[in-house]
Coordinates of all heavy atoms in Angstrom, one line a residue:
S17 N 0.8 -1.2 0.0 CA -0.1 0.0 0.0 C 0.8 1.3 0.0 O 0.5 2.3 -0.7 CB -0.9 0.0 1.3 OG -0.2 -0.1 2.4
D18 N 2.0 1.2 0.8 CA 2.9 2.4 0.7 C 3.5 2.5 -0.6 O 3.7 3.7 -1.1 CB 4.0 2.1 1.8 CG 3.5 2.1 3.2 OD1 2.4 2.8 3.4 OD2 4.1 1.6 4.1
F19 N 3.9 1.5 -1.3 CA 4.4 1.6 -2.7 C 3.4 2.2 -3.6 O 3.8 3.0 -4.5 CB 4.9 0.2 -3.1 CG 5.5 0.2 -4.5 CD1 6.8 0.6 -4.7 CD2 4.7 -0.3 -5.6 CE1 7.3 0.6 -6.0 CE2 5.3 -0.3 -6.9 CZ 6.5 0.1 -7.1
I20 N 2.3 1.7 -3.5 CA 1.2 2.2 -4.5 C 0.9 3.7 -4.2 O 0.7 4.5 -5.1 CB 0.0 1.4 -4.4 CG1 0.2 -0.1 -4.9 CG2 -1.2 2.0 -5.1 CD1 -1.0 -1.0 -4.7
G21 N 0.9 4.0 -2.9 CA 0.7 5.4 -2.5 C 1.8 6.3 -3.0 O 1.5 7.4 -3.5
G22 N 3.0 5.9 -2.8 CA 4.2 6.7 -3.3 C 4.1 6.9 -4.8 O 4.4 8.0 -5.3
N23 N 3.9 5.8 -5.5 CA 3.8 6.0 -7.0 C 2.7 6.8 -7.4 O 2.8 7.5 -8.4 CB 3.6 4.5 -7.7 CG 4.9 3.7 -7.5 OD1 6.0 4.3 -7.4 ND2 4.8 2.4 -7.6
A24 N 1.5 6.8 -6.7 CA 0.4 7.6 -7.1 C 0.7 9.1 -7.0 O 0.4 9.9 -7.8 CB -0.8 7.2 -6.2
I25 N 1.5 9.4 -5.9 CA 1.9 10.8 -5.8 C 2.8 11.2 -6.9 O 2.7 12.3 -7.4 CB 2.5 11.0 -4.3 CG1 1.6 10.7 -3.2 CG2 3.2 12.4 -4.3 CD1 2.2 10.7 -1.8
M26 N 3.8 10.3 -7.2 CA 4.7 10.7 -8.3 C 3.9 10.8 -9.6 O 4.2 11.8 -10.4 CB 5.8 9.6 -8.4 CG 6.7 9.6 -7.2 SD 8.0 8.3 -7.4 CE 8.8 8.8 -8.9
L27 N 3.0 9.9 -9.8 CA 2.2 10.0 -11.0 C 1.4 11.3 -11.1 O 1.3 11.9 -12.1 CB 1.3 8.8 -11.2 CG 1.9 7.4 -11.5 CD1 1.0 6.3 -11.4 CD2 2.6 7.5 -12.8
A28 N 0.8 11.7 -10.0 CA 0.1 12.9 -9.9 C 0.9 14.1 -10.1 O 0.6 15.0 -10.9 CB -0.6 13.0 -8.5
V29 N 2.1 14.1 -9.5 CA 3.1 15.2 -9.8 C 3.5 15.3 -11.3 O 3.5 16.3 -11.9 CB 4.3 15.1 -8.9 CG1 5.4 16.0 -9.2 CG2 4.0 15.2 -7.4
A30 N 3.8 14.1 -11.8 CA 4.2 14.1 -13.2 C 3.0 14.5 -14.2 O 3.2 15.3 -15.1 CB 4.6 12.6 -13.7
F31 N 1.8 14.1 -13.8 CA 0.7 14.5 -14.6 C 0.4 16.1 -14.5 O 0.1 16.7 -15.5 CB -0.6 13.8 -14.1 CG -1.8 14.2 -14.8 CD1 -2.2 13.8 -16.1 CD2 -2.8 15.0 -14.1 CE1 -3.4 14.2 -16.7 CE2 -3.9 15.5 -14.7 CZ -4.2 15.0 -16.1
F32 N 0.7 16.5 -13.2 CA 0.5 18.0 -13.1 C 1.6 18.8 -13.8 O 1.2 19.8 -14.5 CB 0.6 18.3 -11.5 CG 0.6 19.8 -11.3 CD1 -0.7 20.4 -11.2 CD2 1.8 20.5 -10.9 CE1 -0.7 21.8 -10.9 CE2 1.7 21.9 -10.7 CZ 0.4 22.5 -10.6
L33 N 2.8 18.3 -13.9 CA 3.8 18.9 -14.6 C 3.5 18.9 -16.1 O 3.7 19.9 -16.8 CB 5.2 18.3 -14.3 CG 5.7 18.5 -13.0 CD1 7.1 17.7 -12.8 CD2 6.0 19.9 -12.6
I34 N 3.1 17.8 -16.6 CA 2.7 17.7 -18.0 C 1.6 18.6 -18.3 O 1.6 19.3 -19.4 CB 2.4 16.2 -18.4 CG1 3.8 15.3 -18.2 CG2 1.9 16.1 -19.8 CD1 3.4 13.8 -18.4
L35 N 0.6 18.6 -17.5 CA -0.6 19.5 -17.8 C -0.1 20.9 -17.7 O -0.6 21.8 -18.5 CB -1.7 19.2 -16.7 CG -3.0 20.0 -16.9 CD1 -3.5 19.7 -18.3 CD2 -3.9 19.7 -15.7
S36 N 0.7 21.3 -16.8 CA 1.2 22.7 -16.7 C 1.9 23.0 -18.0 O 1.8 24.2 -18.5 CB 2.1 22.8 -15.5 OG 1.4 22.6 -14.3
I37 N 2.8 22.1 -18.4 CA 3.5 22.5 -19.7 C 2.6 22.6 -20.9 O 2.7 23.5 -21.7 CB 4.6 21.4 -20.0 CG1 5.7 21.4 -18.8 CG2 5.2 21.6 -21.3 CD1 6.7 20.2 -18.9
F38 N 1.6 21.7 -20.9 CA 0.7 21.7 -22.0 C -0.2 23.0 -22.0 O -0.4 23.6 -23.0 CB -0.2 20.6 -21.9 CG -1.3 20.5 -22.9 CD1 -1.0 20.1 -24.3 CD2 -2.6 20.9 -22.6 CE1 -2.0 20.1 -25.2 CE2 -3.6 20.9 -23.6 CZ -3.3 20.5 -24.9
L39 N -0.5 23.5 -20.8 CA -1.3 24.7 -20.7 C -0.4 26.0 -20.7 O -1.0 27.0 -21.1 CB -2.1 24.7 -19.4 CG -3.2 23.6 -19.2 CD1 -3.8 23.7 -17.8 CD2 -4.2 23.7 -20.3
G40 N 0.8 25.8 -20.4 CA 1.6 27.0 -20.3 C 2.3 27.4 -21.7 O 2.8 28.5 -21.8
V41 N 2.4 26.4 -22.5 CA 3.2 26.6 -23.8 C 2.1 26.8 -24.9 O 1.3 25.9 -25.1 CB 4.2 25.5 -24.1 CG1 4.8 25.7 -25.4 CG2 5.3 25.4 -23.0
R42 N 2.2 27.9 -25.6 CA 1.3 28.1 -26.7 C 2.0 28.4 -28.0 O 2.9 29.2 -28.0 CB 0.3 29.4 -26.4 CG -0.6 29.1 -25.3 CD -1.6 28.0 -25.6 NE -2.6 27.8 -24.7 CZ -3.1 26.7 -24.3 NH1 -2.7 25.6 -24.9 NH2 -4.1 26.6 -23.4
I43 N 1.7 27.6 -29.0 CA 2.3 27.8 -30.4 C 1.3 28.5 -31.2 O 0.2 28.0 -31.5 CB 2.8 26.4 -31.0 CG1 3.9 25.8 -30.1 CG2 3.3 26.7 -32.4 CD1 4.2 24.5 -30.6
V44 N 1.6 29.7 -31.6 CA 0.7 30.6 -32.4 C 1.1 30.5 -33.9 O 2.3 30.8 -34.2 CB 0.7 32.0 -31.9 CG1 -0.3 32.8 -32.7 CG2 0.4 32.0 -30.4
P45 N 0.2 30.2 -34.8 CA 0.5 30.2 -36.2 C 0.8 31.6 -36.8 O 0.4 32.6 -36.1 CB -0.7 29.7 -36.9 CG -1.5 29.0 -35.8 CD -1.1 29.7 -34.6
Q46 N 1.5 31.7 -37.9 CA 1.9 32.9 -38.4 C 0.6 33.8 -38.8 O 0.7 35.1 -38.8 CB 2.8 32.7 -39.7 CG 3.3 34.0 -40.4 CD 4.2 34.7 -39.5 OE1 5.1 34.1 -38.9 NE2 4.2 36.0 -39.5
S47 N -0.5 33.1 -39.2 CA -1.7 33.9 -39.6 C -2.6 34.3 -38.5 O -3.7 34.7 -38.8 CB -2.4 33.0 -40.6 OG -2.8 31.7 -40.0
E48 N -2.2 34.0 -37.3 CA -3.1 34.3 -36.1 C -2.4 35.2 -35.0 O -1.2 35.3 -35.0 CB -3.7 33.0 -35.5 CG -4.6 32.3 -36.4 CD -5.0 31.0 -35.8 OE1 -4.7 30.7 -34.7 OE2 -5.9 30.3 -36.4
K49 N -3.2 35.8 -34.2 CA -2.8 36.3 -32.9 C -3.8 35.8 -31.9 O -5.0 35.8 -32.1 CB -2.8 37.8 -33.0 CG -1.6 38.4 -33.8 CD -1.5 39.9 -33.6 CE -0.3 40.5 -34.4 NZ -0.3 41.9 -34.3
H50 N -3.3 35.5 -30.7 CA -4.2 35.0 -29.6 C -4.2 36.1 -28.5 O -3.2 36.6 -28.1 CB -3.6 33.7 -29.0 CG -3.6 32.6 -30.0 ND1 -3.2 31.3 -29.7 CD2 -4.1 32.5 -31.3 CE1 -3.3 30.5 -30.8 NE2 -3.9 31.3 -31.8
V51 N -5.5 36.3 -28.0 CA -5.7 37.2 -26.9 C -5.8 36.4 -25.6 O -6.7 35.5 -25.5 CB -7.0 38.0 -27.2 CG1 -7.3 38.9 -26.0 CG2 -6.9 38.8 -28.5
V52 N -4.9 36.7 -24.7 CA -4.9 36.0 -23.4 C -5.6 36.8 -22.3 O -5.3 38.0 -22.2 CB -3.4 35.6 -23.0 CG1 -3.4 35.0 -21.7 CG2 -2.7 34.8 -24.1
E53 N -6.4 36.1 -21.5 CA -7.1 36.8 -20.4 C -6.7 36.1 -19.1 O -6.4 34.9 -19.1 CB -8.6 36.6 -20.5 CG -9.2 37.5 -21.7 CD -10.7 37.4 -21.8 OE1 -11.2 36.5 -21.1 OE2 -11.3 38.1 -22.6
R54 N -6.7 36.9 -18.0 CA -6.4 36.4 -16.7 C -7.6 36.9 -15.8 O -7.8 38.1 -15.6 CB -5.1 36.9 -16.1 CG -4.9 36.4 -14.7 CD -3.4 36.9 -14.2 NE -2.4 36.2 -15.0 CZ -1.1 36.5 -14.7 NH1 -0.7 37.4 -13.8 NH2 -0.2 35.8 -15.4
F55 N -8.4 35.9 -15.4 CA -9.5 36.2 -14.5 C -10.5 37.2 -15.3 O -11.0 38.1 -14.6 CB -9.2 36.7 -13.2 CG -8.3 35.8 -12.4 CD1 -7.1 36.2 -12.0 CD2 -8.8 34.6 -12.0 CE1 -6.3 35.4 -11.3 CE2 -7.9 33.7 -11.3 CZ -6.6 34.1 -10.9

């Protein structure tokens, strides 16, 4: 149970990092401009 719990935390951290990278990096085509809003 400790091993599964430790792996779950690592998987959650890895998923969070991947999701952060996916959400934080934006590739904009040459023919577009993107408008970013915060709250």
Side-chain angles (χ1 to χ4, degrees):
S17 60
D18 294 336
F19 178 77
I20 295 174
N23 290 336
I25 295 174
M26 294 180 60
L27 291 175
V29 171
F31 177 77
F32 178 78
L33 292 176
I34 294 173
L35 182 62
S36 298
I37 295 173
F38 178 78
L39 296 177
V41 177
R42 291 295 184 215
I43 299 177
V44 181
Q46 182 68 37
S47 59
E48 293 182 354
K49 286 186 178 181
H50 293 180
V51 177
V52 177
E53 293 181 350
R54 177 177 295 179
F55 302 118

